[in-house]
Structures are given as C-alpha cells and as structure tokens.
Amino acid sequence: MPGENLSRDEARERAALLSVDGYEVSLDVRSAVGDAQGEGPRTFRSVTTIRFRCNEPGASSFADLVAPSVTAVSLNGRDLDPSEVFDGSRIVLEDLAADNELVVDAQCAYSRTGEGLHRFVDPEDGEVYLYTQYEPADSRRVFANFEQPDLKAPFRFEVRAPEEWTVWSNGAGELADGVWRFAETKPISTYITCVVAGPYHYVTDSYERVFEDGTRLEIPLGAMCRKGLAPHFDADDVFLITKQGFDFFHDHFDYPYPFGKYDQAFVPEYNLGAMENPGMVTFREEYIFRGKVTRASYEGRANTILHEMAHMWFGDLVTMEWWDDLWLKESFADFMGAFANVGATRFKDAWITFANRRKAWAYRADQLPSTHPITADIRDLEDAKLNFDGITYAKGASVLKQLVAYVGQDAFMEGARRYFKRHAYGNTRLGDLLSVLEETSGRDMAAWARSWLQTAGVNALTPQVLLSAEGRIDELAVVQEAAESHPELRPHRVAVGLYRRTAEGALERYARAEVDVDGPRTVVAELAGAEAPELVLVNDDDLTYCKTRFDATSLATLREHLGALTDPLARALCWSALWNMTRDALLPARDFAALVLRFGGRESDIGVLQMLHAWAGSALVHYVAPEGREAVGRLLGEGALRELREAAPGSEQQLAWARFFASVASDEAELRLLRGLLEGTEKIDGLDVDQELRWAFLEPLAAHGEADEAVLAAELARDDTASGKRHQVRCLAARPSAAVKAQAWAQVVESDALSNALVEATIAGFAQASQRELIAPYAEKYFAVIERVWSERSIQIGMDVVRGLFPSLRDSQDTLDATDAWLAAHEKAAPALRRLVLEARDDLARALRGQACDSVGL
C-alpha cells in the first residue's frame, strides 16, 4: 500500500479548491481473455476525461490513479510527461485554470484481490468474468479521478469487450459498433461507479409504481450470476424481495428511486456482502445457494438486498462528506434492512436476528481497544477501510432503532424525507441530519448525539431486586455500569420484564414497565408491589443498546428453565446476555456449552440456533480452559449427534445440527460416521448429504488426517467448480502435516499468486484448533513478516493475513508478551496495521481471562 493513502486534510483541501463537472471513461477489456501480454500484470486500457473547475486559478492539485503505467497525460491541451507527473498513485496538476480538462491514457491492472476491476476465470468452463469493487477508494485502480466522496459528478462510461460478452454499468447501456455506451449518471461519488462484464446468466423483470399524484415509475430489473450457478439461481425470490423493498421505501421515503434501472449482480470472489452501486448493485455469489440452507440464509439475503436498496437514498442520493460520517449511510442501511424485512417481507422475525446476530458483532467491536464513536475520527483511507465494522453498522443501527423510539417513527421518517429533498445529490455531515430531526420532532438532538454518537463503549445494565417479607417486590432498580476506558453512562429507554413459570411450566412475562435509565442507579417505581419474579429481563423487547446482566435468582432460573421461555425475542436476548457473560469471564465457558446442549434443541428460531452453534464452537476453541477442552469437546460432539438424530427428518434443525456436529467431531467414532455419511454406508433419516454438506464433512476429516490429497482431489473432480475449488483449497490446508502448513504459509505470505478467495480459504484451513502444537512455530514467523506484508500487499490481503494468521490458537501469556513486544518495537508502524494487531491482542487477552474463569473448580 505504499503511496496510496489519502488523508482527510488533503481531501478537504482539494474539495475546497475543485469542483467536478463530469467524467468520460473509456475502458477496453478485450485483453481479459486469451493469453497474458508477457511479463508483469495483465492490463487493460483506460482513458479518462475529467472536466473540472478550480476556484483559485494558478493553484496546484492532483488526480488519483493506481496503475502500472501511464501512456499519456494532457491538461488543458498541454501534453505532460507521465514520468514527471505520475508517481504510481497520483498525477500532479500544476497551474490550473478556472475551467480545466484532464485526459489520462493509462494501462491499468486487472485485480486478483477483489479491489478494482477483478478478473475471475471459472475453472468449470474457462469463462472469464469481470466486475468492479471500489469502496472506499479503489476506482482509481480503474480510471483516473478525484477519489473522495464529496467530489461528486456525472459519469459517462463506454466499454470495449469481447464480442460474446454483455457489459453493464450504473446507467442503461447499448451496444453499437462494438462499443457498449452507457447513459450518463446523476452526480455520484467515484466509489459507487461500477462495471460488470462477461458471459453472465441474466434474468429480467420490472417494477411499476403509480404515486398518489398519478405519476408512474417503471424500473427495469435485472439479476445475474455466472453461467455455472444458473441452475441454482432463484431469481424469482430475488425479484420478489426487490419489489417488496421498493414498495416499502417508496411508502416511507416519498422520494422516487432516482437512478433508472436496477440490476443486481452476484459475482465471484467478492470480499464484501454487497455494494450499493446505484443501478448496478453487486453481491457475493454465495447468496446463490448450491445446496440446502435454512430459512436464516434466505432472511440474511433478503436483509442484504434491502440494506443495499436503502443505500440508494442513504449513501448514493445523499452521501457523507468524508468517511468520518460513514455511519450516515451504513447505520441507516443496517437499520433499514431489518426494518423493511419486518415491514415488507415474509421475514417477520428479523428483529430477533438483529438482536441476536448483528448486535453481537457490535458488542464485540465496542469492547476492542480500537472502539470508536459512531461518528468516528477517520484520518485517512486506511482508517476508513477498517471502520466498516460492527460499530459503524450494527451499533449505529441499534442507536437508530432507539432514536425512532425517542422521536417517534413519524417524525423520524419525515426527517428522512426532508433530508433527501434538501441534500439530493449532495454531501452531508452529522449536523445536517440532526437539524432535520430537530425540525420534525421538536426535540433537542445535541445531547442525544453527544451521548450516543460521539462517545464509545457499551454500558451494562443489571437488575437489583429487594423483596418484602410477603414475597413481593419492595424495590427494583437498574444499575448501570461502564468500562473504565469509556466511563460514559448514557440515557437508556428500557423495558423491564418480570417472568415466572406457569402451572404448565412455561416461563412467561407477567409484568412489564418502561423506564428511562439515567445515571448509575434507576428505580423502576412502577414494578413495586409486583409478585416476586423468577427472571428479571432488563432491556426486554430490545429497546436499547447495552449488555444485559442478571441477578442471582434470574441466572439460576435460566440455568434450569431457559428453554421454557416462550417468547422467542426474550429467549434470544437471554442467550445473547449469557454469551456476553462468557466473553466477559463472568460465566464459565463449559457452563455456556452445557446450556446450549441442554436447551438448544428446543430453540425454534433457526437463526438463533445457528448462532448458538457458532458461539458454542467459539467457547470450545477460545474460552474453555485447556485442561477441560477434551471433555467439553466430547460433550459437544455427543450432544450434537444426539440432537442430529432426534431432529425432525429433513428439517432445518436437522441440517443445522449436522453442520455443528461436523464442526466439533473429533473422536474415531464421530469421524467414522462422517466418512460413512459421505460414502453412503451410513444414513440418518431425512438428511440429504448434498455437495455443500459433503465439503462440510470433509474438512474435519482432512484436519484429523482421515482425508488425504487423493480423497480431496476426487471430491474436486466430483465438484469441479469455483466453489469446489475454494472448498478443496481449505481442506488441503487443514491437513495435519508440517509440510502442508509450510506450503500454505508460503502460498499466502511469500507469494501473491493466489486470488483473494483462495487466500481466505488457505488461511481458514491453516488455523485448525486441533493442531495447536503443529502451528505454534508460526507465531514467531508471524511477527517477523506482518509489517512487510502490510507494505507490499493490497490493504484487503494485508487485512486477511494480519487478522487470519495471528497466533490466537497459541493461547498463552507468551503469545501475549510477544504481541506486546512487537507493538513496543513498532510504534511507528502504519496505524491501521497496529490497530489490527491491538484488536487481535485484545481477543487473546479476553480468551485467557475466559479460560481462567473456566478453570475454577476443574
């Protein structure tokens, strides 16, 4: 990443100096097919014309371009020497006029890392597919530009491609004389421009809407994927969610979708979940399901479709000025994804998923040393790349959910409508949103923003119950605590629920009160005199963002009767609270695992069950004391198999338990069963071992030495697809051999031959919890190479390596000390690199505290 960073100060200075009237971008990607052009990276021609104004004639500035070479540069008709003005990432522009025209003719490189113009060769049929991915700042890898969100402009793209290909961009396109030409866009930021090209399978539909004033809106819809995935592509469901989303957002936003067509491309080797390019949304192709998945997967896809659609207004129509206010689009889109899922689709329990899954992501991020306010301090592009995190997305969405309750849904939506109309095609800061919400709600938003948007950390809320001699509540209070590092005590609007068992044994709520928690201790006067509860649930109904704690009676009740809770949201909130207690070393990890085994089989929400499986697996790997791992692992394996056999044949629960069983299987009998299920010599009634499940069974077999290279090669021959190749690479790296680990390390660290997807697969296979001693020698190697990797590789690959290869499985004080030594010796390392190492250190320290808690009594 040398020389490619851009600071906030530089961006502000350039924005104060320049305004952009338009771009014309011409790409020639015919070089994507056929043999490479000799030494160096495979490249394509990129010719860009930028028309822009400068309010200080005679001043200097720069354009952004990351390219192997520049053929020609002209500024206002003057030819400039590329060797003098281009340094590999910037083009110096001196003596600017009031009105300027810059033309840059460059050879840009196809990407293998998912950044820029990514080139993928399908191993199944040899076809080549291209797509772009830019956020936050990789459009400069495809064409010269001013790479910052507040220099918006209209764009015209034209693309020359192989004859048999189709090309898509943000605007509608036509092919004439061998050139695809696309309609000019509205003013948008560089990072949401897009090109998709190749022999994609393409399906069309349309959306129509007649508004109250009689105007009619028609949006052409398209959806595409690789030809090899076409048999699995359920485009009808994608279009259904898309139409439901457009109806919902038009109802609530009162601003017609402004970008013409709406294509959705499911593309290979994608680093993100999706990207909100207006008119040309891109998604990871894993959202096309090759095998049987649970309802939670379809809900997750719907949430992502709606999240990206919300961005058409929050992010594309109105865009943050700089990445400090990234939350202005991501928090809103994350909130709107769940809000629209519940309000418009078949997924009426999406707020349960939000409470259980999305907020878990936020709670973890908010307790890292890198935690930050929702409105963050983003100094440069490397900071920006790392801030697409659980705080910006899920904590921000949680806070917006509170804000809706605080100002009222009608006032909130009216504020959004005014925000769109007032700032359409412009850029905003925090104050712009707060001002419209103050107008519509009549509330002072400044204090709320200071508490919730401009401070970091998560509060913990614990009930205190005092009973009278008659067994009724004498006083119930909510105690609020904060971490020493972030001591802010915030105002919380919470519901406090009281639960007890019925005669039939169901654990149900019999009393509820809403209260404004403010300060260290708040009395809930409304519940005084109520009968004594068996469970007090603070933050019932998930109204606020906090860690919920339990009093001793409530915790004892959950240990014995958690499965008797009849309300699925209350149950999900209790599970989430218990997991936070495990991570905070307040509940032994073996106890959490036992709770999952005791009550998981009664969990009706499939998304919650799958989250419990993930948490139980994490507890075993990271938080169970070393001396107890074998016993807990055995219990999890036995319990998972029992639930697998008892689950209804063909049910989602059966599939979920099958996958969990495979993830914890370790002894000879368990591995023999997996092998038998693969070979067809073993059967479990109703369990369809499809291709995706076959790979899930093969990884533990490979990791335990029960599936060698020949077995994995045979499986690839059976599934000779891009997905199959990723699975095979992961399984190959999982094998318990020193030579295998050395090869995997070299492929990821010492070579850049692997694509981003295969780097990810190799890292996933390399780090196996059952092979701690085998990979222990790589801890020292890790600290010796990460600074070089960060400096030489793209930021995406750098993040993958630094996060994925951190020696977290060598969970000892020695590793913690080695991490501290590296940090002390590299105080001047790139801040983003130090942040990643600090986060990994914190996770390790947390794991060691959890293990200490779990070891008590062993």
Side-chain angles (χ1 to χ4, degrees):
M1 293 158 278
E4 296 177 13
N5 211 349
L6 174 72
S7 73
R8 175 177 53 204
D9 291 342
E10 290 175 312
R12 285 177 176 170
E13 181 179 342
R14 186 163 63 177
L17 185 66
L18 307 181
S19 55
V20 187
D21 295 317
Y23 287 83
E24 295 178 6
V25 180
S26 177
L27 306 177
D28 189 340
V29 297
R30 290 173 291 185
S31 57
V33 298
D35 296 333
Q37 313 104 311
E39 297 295 325
R42 184 187 288 261
T43 61
F44 59 93
R45 188 182 183 193
S46 169
V47 181
T48 306
T49 300
I50 315 175
R51 295 179 179 85
F52 63 100
R53 285 167 283 136
C54 174
N55 61 26
E56 295 180 18
S60 299
S61 189
F62 62 93
D64 301 296
L65 177 68
V66 177
S69 65
V70 171
T71 306
V73 180
S74 71
L75 177 63
N76 299 329
R78 305 192 319 267
D79 290 336
L80 307 179
D81 185 345
S83 66
E84 294 180 359
V85 299
F86 178 61
D87 65 359
S89 61
R90 294 184 179 185
I91 300 170
V92 177
L93 306 175
E94 296 180 332
D95 192 23
L96 293 171
D99 294 289
N100 301 273
E101 181 179 273
L102 173 68
V103 181
V104 180
D105 188 343
Q107 289 293 317
C108 295
Y110 294 102
S111 171
R112 292 272 287 157
T113 66
E115 301 152 296
L117 181 59
H118 189 79
R119 177 179 179 271
F120 173 78
V121 181
D122 193 334
E124 188 173 0
D125 54 18
E127 295 280 17
V128 176
Y129 295 88
L130 304 180
Y131 65 87
T132 58
Q133 171 56 38
Y134 297 149
E135 193 174 39
D138 285 318
S139 63
R140 58 193 169 146
R141 299 181 185 276
V142 178
F143 60 93
N145 59 54
F146 300 115
E147 185 80 283
Q148 57 192 79
D150 58 344
L151 287 177
K152 286 184 163 184
F155 287 81
R156 286 187 181 273
F157 285 92
E158 66 173 39
V159 181
R160 289 166 176 81
E163 289 184 7
E164 63 275 16
W165 282 17
T166 306
V167 184
W168 296 265
S169 186
N170 302 88
E174 291 184 352
L175 175 63
D177 302 321
V179 181
W180 290 89
R181 293 182 175 87
F182 297 91
E184 184 176 75
T185 71
K186 300 287 188 180
I188 59 175
S189 302
T190 54
Y191 76 91
I192 50 176
T193 59
C194 185
V195 171
V196 175
Y200 285 88
H201 170 72
Y202 186 57
V203 185
T204 61
D205 202 335
S206 65
Y207 168 83
E208 295 185 9
R209 171 90 175 200
V210 178
F211 295 96
E212 290 184 359
D213 63 2
T215 59
R216 182 172 173 273
L217 175 67
E218 182 173 356
I219 304 173
L221 304 178
M224 68 195 78
C225 66
R226 289 186 296 112
K227 290 191 293 186
L229 283 176
H232 309 287
F233 192 23
D234 53 340
D236 287 348
D237 192 51
V238 171
F239 287 137
L240 172 64
I241 300 297
T242 301
K243 294 175 185 180
Q244 290 170 331
F246 272 128
D247 276 340
F248 185 85
F249 292 133
H250 283 133
D251 286 343
H252 286 79
F253 292 167
D254 190 32
Y255 195 109
Y257 171 72
F259 297 111
K261 70 178 180 69
Y262 199 76
D263 283 319
Q264 297 175 95
F266 295 80
V267 297
E269 298 190 324
Y270 203 55
N271 290 323
L272 311 177
M275 184 64 208
E276 67 267 19
N277 315 303
M280 186 67 258
V281 183
T282 42
F283 298 82
R284 64 187 300 117
E285 68 178 16
E286 285 78 4
Y287 281 122
I288 298 173
F289 308 121
R290 298 197 317 149
K292 182 178 179 180
V293 296
T294 68
R295 177 183 172 87
S297 295
Y298 289 99
E299 180 189 324
R301 182 175 69 183
N303 186 283
T304 303
I305 290 171
L306 297 169
H307 175 117
E308 302 310 321
M309 186 179 291
H311 273 313
M312 300 299 116
W313 291 267
F314 286 106
D316 294 358
L317 177 67
V318 184
T319 310
M320 70 276 156
E321 186 175 293
W322 177 249
W323 302 102
D324 292 346
D325 282 312
L326 176 63
W327 81 281
L328 279 173
K329 71 184 188 76
E330 295 301 348
S331 298
F332 272 89
D334 217 46
F335 168 77
M336 286 293 172
F339 186 51
N341 233 357
V342 171
T345 78
R346 64 188 183 272
F347 301 108
K348 302 303 180 186
D349 291 331
W351 284 125
I352 296 177
T353 303
F354 181 84
N356 191 245
R357 183 179 295 271
R358 300 299 284 182
K359 291 180 83 168
W361 182 29
Y363 294 143
R364 175 188 175 272
D366 215 5
Q367 296 174 89
L368 290 170
S370 57
T371 187
H372 55 85
I374 294 171
T375 54
D377 179 25
I378 304 298
R379 297 161 296 184
D380 54 34
L381 291 177
E382 289 190 7
D383 276 358
K385 183 76 172 180
L386 268 62
N387 261 46
F388 290 82
D389 61 11
I391 296 170
T392 301
Y393 283 71
K395 180 180 180 180
S398 302
V399 169
L400 288 177
K401 189 168 182 274
Q402 293 171 221
L403 179 60
V404 173
Y406 176 60
V407 303
Q409 183 173 312
D410 291 343
F412 179 82
M413 288 302 170
E414 177 58 27
R417 290 188 282 269
R418 294 186 189 183
Y419 179 72
F420 300 143
K421 292 170 183 174
R422 193 169 298 173
H423 301 289
Y425 306 110
N427 297 85
T428 57
R429 296 183 178 182
L430 168 64
D432 297 308
L433 176 68
L434 296 183
S435 65
V436 296
L437 290 174
E438 286 183 348
E439 291 173 16
T440 59
S441 70
R443 291 180 178 266
D444 179 6
M445 300 301 300
W448 177 86
R450 280 194 300 272
S451 291
W452 283 105
L453 301 180
Q454 297 168 333
T455 61
V458 56
N459 301 135
L461 302 183
T462 307
Q464 281 186 348
V465 183
L466 299 177
L467 297 179
S468 67
E470 294 76 25
R472 291 185 174 272
I473 292 177
D474 192 36
E475 181 183 86
L476 192 156
V478 177
V479 175
Q480 180 177 192
E481 299 172 290
E484 289 184 11
S485 56
H486 299 283
E488 177 84 10
L489 297 180
R490 299 183 180 87
H492 298 264
R493 181 69 176 179
V494 301
V496 179
L498 305 184
Y499 292 76
R500 64 185 177 195
R501 282 172 294 157
T502 66
E504 294 76 25
L507 188 57
E508 295 186 347
R509 187 170 69 193
Y510 65 93
R512 176 187 184 275
E514 288 193 21
V515 63
D516 291 314
V517 171
D518 198 359
R521 191 172 188 273
T522 302
V523 174
V524 188
E526 188 177 335
L527 295 177
E531 292 187 21
E534 293 181 84
L535 168 66
V536 180
L537 181 55
V538 175
N539 197 29
D540 207 354
D541 298 323
D542 197 35
L543 300 185
T544 193
Y545 171 82
C546 70
K547 290 195 294 186
T548 299
R549 302 299 197 207
F550 300 109
D551 64 307
T553 299
S554 297
L555 183 57
T557 297
L558 291 174
R559 286 179 181 275
E560 296 298 324
H561 306 291
L562 196 161
L565 261 174
T566 55
D567 181 76
L569 178 57
R571 212 165 49 241
L573 292 171
C574 289
W575 279 119
S576 178
L578 291 167
W579 176 240
N580 278 322
M581 291 175 64
T582 304
R583 293 188 72 248
D584 291 345
L586 299 175
L587 179 72
R590 65 181 185 275
D591 288 4
F592 182 83
L595 286 167
V596 171
L597 291 179
R598 183 172 182 182
F599 300 118
R602 299 169 64 178
E603 180 53 59
S604 60
D605 188 293
I606 192 64
V608 172
L609 176 61
Q610 289 177 286
M611 200 74 233
L612 293 180
H613 290 160
W615 288 341
S618 182
L620 174 62
V621 172
H622 298 295
Y623 299 109
V624 169
E627 60 270 30
R629 281 186 192 133
E630 183 177 351
V632 174
R634 184 172 61 252
L635 289 174
L636 286 175
E638 293 170 353
L641 180 57
R642 180 179 64 252
E643 295 292 347
L644 169 59
R645 293 191 184 281
E646 292 178 358
S651 66
E652 294 181 309
Q653 281 74 12
Q654 185 187 56
L655 177 61
W657 283 107
R659 288 186 170 276
F660 181 55
F661 171 66
S663 73
V664 295
S666 60
D667 70 24
E668 184 178 344
E670 292 166 350
L671 297 172
R672 187 166 58 247
L673 173 60
L674 290 178
R675 193 183 311 112
L677 290 169
L678 284 171
E679 295 171 353
T681 58
E682 294 277 0
K683 296 285 185 182
I684 294 178
D685 187 26
L687 184 65
D688 178 18
V689 185
D690 60 28
Q691 188 58 64
E692 287 295 294
L693 197 54
R694 289 182 65 84
W695 285 115
F697 289 176
L698 273 166
E699 183 174 356
L701 290 171
H704 288 88
E706 298 294 327
D708 60 17
E709 186 172 4
V711 170
L712 299 175
E715 195 66 28
L716 181 62
R718 176 191 178 104
D719 181 26
D720 192 10
T721 65
S723 300
K725 181 63 177 176
R726 290 194 298 272
H727 288 309
Q728 187 220 20
V729 165
R730 186 182 70 252
C731 291
L732 285 170
R735 291 171 295 158
S737 157
V740 164
K741 299 305 176 185
Q743 181 184 36
W745 179 271
Q747 288 173 331
V748 169
V749 173
E750 305 300 338
S751 169
D752 62 359
L754 295 181
S755 70
N756 56 320
L758 297 185
V759 166
E760 181 182 352
T762 303
I763 290 173
F766 178 88
Q768 296 289 322
S770 60
Q771 300 167 1
R772 294 172 192 266
E773 292 184 7
L774 184 61
I775 60 177
Y778 290 92
E780 184 176 350
K781 295 178 181 180
Y782 171 88
F783 292 111
V785 302
I786 54 173
E787 192 168 28
R788 171 174 61 81
V789 168
W790 189 260
S791 67
E792 294 177 354
R793 309 289 281 278
S794 76
I795 190 169
Q796 181 63 50
I797 299 300
M799 289 165 58
D800 290 343
V801 170
V802 175
R803 282 176 173 155
L805 293 180
F806 181 83
S808 59
L809 294 175
R810 189 184 176 219
D811 43 1
S812 67
Q813 186 62 42
D814 287 346
T815 306
L816 210 59
D817 292 342
T819 309
D820 290 338
W822 185 91
L823 289 165
H826 295 82
E827 291 184 355
K828 295 184 179 180
L833 171 59
R834 285 182 55 84
R835 169 177 168 168
L836 291 172
V837 176
L838 279 164
E839 289 176 349
R841 184 209 182 275
D842 191 74
D843 282 338
L844 176 59
R846 181 178 291 273
L848 293 177
R849 292 194 297 271
Q851 291 173 20
C853 171
D854 192 64
S855 68
V856 175
L858 287 180

